[in-house]
Amino acid sequence: MHKVPEIILSISWKGIKFIDSETKNTVSEHSIHNISYSSQDPVDQRVFAYITKETDAPNSYCHVFLVHNKRVADEVVLTIGQAFEVAYQKMMKARAKISAAAFEQHLEEQVI
């Protein structure tokens, strides 16, 4: 039987990396902006997955993981949700700064 590789998931507001647990090399990396969905299996709650679109291809892929217990899967899915929230908040702050700068420039142009 084929041995399933063990990986480390690195999750941040920027995205998710698969890291080989033996070599510590990055195997794959997905931007948070390319991840469209994350879920935990309702039957076997040790299983979770997320869907990502590759940057250089029109295809979407479902990445499925099996962890040691439900608690770990719960934590991973919650962490991915928190990463989405942080990325969204950062995007909104960046938009607000851009909007504020554009508004200030517009006001400066209106000075008589």
Side-chain angles (χ1 to χ4, degrees), residues 15-106:
I16 300 175
K17 288 183 187 180
F18 302 177
I19 301 169
D20 183 297
S21 64
E22 291 181 15
T23 67
K24 306 301 185 230
N25 292 329
T26 298
V27 176
S28 187
E29 190 170 357
H30 303 109
S31 168
I32 198 81
H33 303 292
N34 291 334
I35 299 171
S36 61
Y37 186 75
S38 175
S39 182
Q40 190 169 3
D41 189 303
V43 176
D44 185 349
Q45 294 188 334
R46 298 172 304 151
V47 176
F48 67 92
Y50 69 88
I51 298 173
T52 185
K53 182 181 178 324
E54 296 300 319
T55 305
D56 55 352
N59 303 328
S60 292
Y61 297 93
C62 182
H63 303 279
V64 181
F65 303 90
L66 172 66
V67 294
H68 299 292
N69 57 53
K70 176 190 177 306
R71 183 185 59 77
V72 173
D74 289 343
E75 290 177 10
V76 171
V77 171
L78 179 61
T79 302
I80 292 171
Q82 291 169 334
F84 275 114
E85 179 63 26
V86 171
Y88 176 75
Q89 293 300 327
K90 286 184 171 287
M91 181 190 70
M92 294 306 290
K93 283 183 182 179
R95 278 190 182 170
K97 285 181 184 178
I98 291 169
S99 295
F103 181 70
E104 286 180 26
Q105 183 177 359
H106 173 72

